[in-house]
Amino acid sequence: MVEELEQEYTALKDKVRDLREYLDAAKPRQQLAEIEKQVADPNLWSNPEKSQTIMRERKRLQDVLSTEEDLLRRETDIKTYFDLAREGENVESELRGEIGSLREMVERLETESLLSGENDARNAILTIHPGAGGTESQDWADMLLRMYLRWAERQGFQTILNDYQPGEEAGMKSATFTVNGEYAFGLLTSEIGVHRLVRISPFDQAKRRHTSFASVFVSPEIDESIQVDIKPEDLRVDTYRSSGKGGQHVNTTDSAVRITHTPTGIVVSCQNERSQHKNRERAMTMLRSKLYEFELEKKREASRKIEESKLDIDFGSQIRSYVLQPYRMVKDHRTKVEVGDVDRVLDGDLQPFIRAYLLTRRGEKQA
């Protein structure tokens, strides 16, 4: 069995070598040394925007070097285990665990290497809306919300639920949340579009098969280093009582805030915070992010404009189908990737779909 593990590790070593060449530790080490000189300058902190940008770059470079060191350490550990195995020690289970852990890390890093877009490294703001179909679609939208929250948890990302509008019987009418983590936006771009569910409805006494739809939209969260011109006269601000998921303050005061940007029709809501002021502040951050993405789409003159991504949530427009009856399968209609373990996907294991989408996107750019 050790021989089989050696063969498996030989193939993995080639990928590790490629990744270490891609990370090119000498270059970020030199860049980090230059940044440390800037950080040591007391004048840096008088410019909050510049210091924020530099500290973010510093962390990125530190993460690159930490990753390179982690790869090297794992290789050394595995080599040591193989040496012990050749000496007659029973370390097969340890070897299998170390190789499996290294493989997961390599797959994650390979996926990140596909992210080179202008905003791919940023946090993400994700919004889910149910399609037509009332309770059935609203329940499906709620299932998607749980799936993405579980995905973020698996990635070690932090999530903040900004707005949640519950359905009348079950599920939800809409939800918006922020995902804080390295490359959150780049990874979640694969999820933009309409998601289709086929199942025996738990809300149908006749136990008939139903098809439900929900749309997912993702935009990058931008910071103060990017200027977005928003005129006060273009905004309509409404306040209302919070509803749905939250703490003791829910439904007690008009703390929730909804902001409509009249020229574009973009609407954002936030009810996560206890105070109206903080909810307004958070809503403005979301609005700036959505307007920034809106303007980027116009500048790129892409075939898919932001409003066009809000297709009719109906047959023919879906990017992915989740079939629970009469068979069990999740299929991505863009990449043709299929996964039979539906429960695992709904519990947040989206890596096969994300990776395939990013590979397809890179192929389209190179074509």
Side-chain angles (χ1 to χ4, degrees):
M1 293 297 292
V2 173
E3 290 77 12
E4 292 180 10
L5 289 173
E6 283 185 322
Q7 292 177 1
E8 185 179 346
Y9 180 56
T10 298
L12 192 57
K13 274 201 303 185
D14 292 338
K15 292 185 176 183
V16 172
R17 185 195 63 240
D18 292 343
L19 279 170
R20 291 185 64 192
E21 288 178 359
Y22 170 77
L23 293 171
D24 189 14
K27 186 177 180 181
R29 194 172 286 116
Q30 183 180 1
Q31 292 173 330
L32 183 60
E34 292 298 320
I35 282 183
E36 293 294 359
K37 292 179 183 177
Q38 297 181 58
V39 171
D41 182 359
N43 295 325
L44 171 66
W45 309 105
S46 62
N47 187 334
E49 289 185 11
K50 183 179 179 181
S51 63
Q52 185 182 54
T53 302
I54 288 176
M55 293 306 290
R56 187 167 58 244
E57 178 64 7
R58 181 197 197 192
K59 183 182 182 306
R60 186 189 71 80
L61 293 170
Q62 288 174 335
D63 288 345
V64 169
L65 293 175
S66 176
T67 297
E68 204 272 343
E69 290 171 4
D70 196 11
L71 284 171
L72 183 59
R73 179 190 60 78
R74 288 170 185 266
E75 281 190 298
T76 302
D77 289 348
I78 291 173
K79 182 179 181 300
T80 301
Y81 277 122
F82 274 123
D83 289 341
L84 289 171
R86 294 185 190 100
E87 293 171 5
E89 295 286 340
N90 184 12
V91 291
E92 185 180 322
S93 61
E94 289 86 347
L95 257 176
R96 195 175 298 280
E98 288 290 337
I99 291 174
S101 178
L102 179 60
R103 186 188 304 106
E104 289 180 5
M105 182 181 183
V106 166
E107 289 176 355
R108 176 177 61 81
L109 292 172
E110 284 182 333
T111 300
E112 289 181 3
S113 72
L114 299 171
L115 298 168
S116 57
E118 183 180 357
N119 295 299
D120 282 350
R122 294 185 180 275
N123 298 333
I125 297 174
L126 191 147
T127 301
I128 303 173
H129 289 291
T135 301
E136 183 69 29
S137 291
Q138 289 173 10
D139 187 57
W140 170 224
D142 212 33
M143 290 169 64
L144 284 175
L145 172 62
R146 180 189 179 278
M147 181 180 79
Y148 289 120
L149 293 177
R150 283 288 293 127
W151 173 82
E153 184 181 335
R154 284 169 174 256
Q155 298 294 117
F157 292 165
Q158 178 197 25
T159 55
I160 301 171
L161 187 61
N162 302 309
D163 183 53
Y164 183 91
Q165 301 295 327
E168 294 176 5
E169 294 182 38
M172 66 177 193
K173 294 180 180 178
S174 70
T176 299
F177 64 98
T178 302
V179 182
N180 295 327
E182 195 79 10
Y183 295 107
F185 174 69
L187 293 168
L188 286 170
T189 52
S190 65
E191 303 306 297
I192 298 173
V194 176
H195 298 246
R196 169 178 174 255
L197 173 70
V198 180
R199 66 171 176 177
I200 301 295
S201 172
F203 307 102
D204 186 342
Q205 292 183 343
K207 302 297 180 185
R208 290 171 294 189
R209 193 164 69 241
H210 284 245
T211 299
S212 308
F213 300 90
S215 68
V216 174
F217 184 71
V218 185
S219 57
E221 183 182 56
I222 61 173
D223 53 33
E224 297 298 327
S225 64
I226 296 177
Q227 298 298 320
V228 177
D229 184 27
I230 301 178
K231 298 177 181 177
E233 60 267 27
D234 289 341
L235 302 180
R236 187 177 77 244
V237 181
D238 301 304
T239 59
Y240 58 98
R241 291 198 172 185
S242 300
S243 60
K245 301 180 179 181
Q248 294 179 350
H249 65 288
V250 170
N251 285 324
T252 58
T253 60
D254 289 348
S255 61
V257 174
R258 181 186 299 111
I259 301 178
T260 303
H261 186 252
T262 308
T264 61
I266 292 175
V267 181
V268 296
S269 302
C270 186
Q271 57 174 320
N272 182 57
E273 301 291 345
R274 186 180 294 268
S275 76
Q276 184 183 116
H277 174 73
K278 287 185 177 179
N279 279 328
R280 181 187 175 111
E281 196 175 84
R282 184 68 195 156
M284 283 301 295
T285 297
M286 293 159 58
L287 179 62
R288 290 175 66 248
S289 296
K290 290 197 173 188
L291 284 173
Y292 175 68
E293 179 68 8
F294 183 84
E295 291 302 322
L296 277 184
E297 289 289 344
K298 288 203 300 184
K299 288 178 182 177
R300 286 194 292 258
E301 296 181 351
S303 59
R304 180 188 59 79
K305 297 290 192 294
I306 282 185
E307 289 305 310
E308 291 175 351
S309 74
K310 301 173 184 174
L311 297 168
D312 290 337
I313 308 177
D314 205 340
F315 291 99
S317 60
Q318 65 267 13
I319 62 164
R320 191 179 301 149
S321 292
Y322 306 70
V323 181
L324 304 185
Q325 293 286 342
Y327 56 90
R328 296 177 67 81
M329 178 73 69
V330 181
K331 179 177 180 179
D332 194 292
H333 302 293
R334 302 159 301 177
T335 63
K336 311 306 179 188
V337 168
E338 297 181 353
V339 175
D341 192 345
V342 180
D343 293 333
R344 185 174 176 84
V345 173
L346 292 176
D347 194 42
D349 186 5
L350 302 175
Q351 291 309 99
F353 302 107
I354 291 174
R355 180 175 170 78
Y357 173 81
L358 293 175
L359 284 168
T360 301
R361 186 177 72 171
R362 183 174 70 176
E364 289 174 350
K365 286 181 179 179
Q366 292 175 345

